[in-house]
Amino acid sequence: MVLLPPSHFTDVEGMFPEDGPNAAMLHATLEGRVPGRVLVDDAQRPSCALVQADYYGFTFPSRPMPPSFLKEGIERLLEDGPVLLVWPSESDVPAASVDPPVAGLTLERVMLRGFDVSSMPLHGVQVPEGCMLSPMDSGLVPRCVWHDQLMRAMGSIDRFLTYGLGVCLLRDDTILSEAYMCFWGSGVAEIGVVTHPDHRRQGFGVLTARHLIELCEERGLDVYTTCYAANEPLRRVAVQVGLTEEVPYLLHVYGAASAEDFETIIASEKSQSPDRA
């Protein structure tokens, strides 16, 4: 088992689905836009691989995936931090062809995709009077609610501004809502949206996300978002912006300090959803 040099990450792309859960994060890592690592069985002629993005340790198994390689690979990655193994839901487990090692915690997540422009045409999305939409720049990013998330995902503001995409809804100099696209690859893009606590329940998150979707579509990228299954507010917003198809999946957590750490992440995600008070 060896770490693949970044210059050869794309050698293993064919081992992974193009449109699976968090596929944009996976392919952004393989294509060098976000930091991560790739473990393979053979550097010259790899037949299986584990791809890990730096973002919280999200980890993707190739298909096929020998059980012994999966177990050894997780143990190897745990030397550097937690492993969050992206896995099909129980209804799709046969597609994985192998059972994952027993995890300390398993979380239910959902991927929301299937953008339908007819559900919310862009001409029906009006910017409120006195407000404006602005691309994220080096002055706005540090002031955003999810600045820390962006840095965790991309590694630096410069990398985000080079490879990512973001939109803020502003009133004067106040950021009301923000939408991001950090991960893209293989024709898909993953977006996130959050509205600042003082400006929720006014539709600002829906508006900002819809405009970001338009910018992604113009670049030929199919858009999706993901969240924990318990995040009903974000799931409702996703439907409102036209992401009407839900695909459940699992996140097996290894090496976390405690289950409470991830319960805190889930609670934080719910509290920052765009339509919550």
Side-chain angles (χ1 to χ4, degrees), residues 12-86:
V12 302
E13 274 198 296
M15 301 179 187
F16 297 87
E18 294 183 354
D19 59 353
N22 296 113
M25 187 192 307
L26 162 67
H27 290 286
T29 304
L30 290 174
E31 295 166 16
R33 282 184 292 278
V34 299
R37 60 202 56 81
V38 178
L39 280 176
V40 295
D41 56 339
D42 186 305
Q44 302 303 316
R45 304 183 66 178
S47 63
C48 55
L50 277 174
V51 175
Q52 185 180 62
D54 279 3
Y55 186 72
Y56 287 108
F58 272 70
T59 302
F60 304 86
S62 66
R63 298 178 185 173
M65 172 52 63
S68 58
F69 181 88
L70 180 59
K71 182 176 184 296
E72 184 181 348
I74 289 174
E75 291 173 354
R76 173 78 175 271
L77 293 171
L78 281 171
E79 295 174 4
D80 297 319
V83 173
L84 278 61
L85 186 67
V86 178

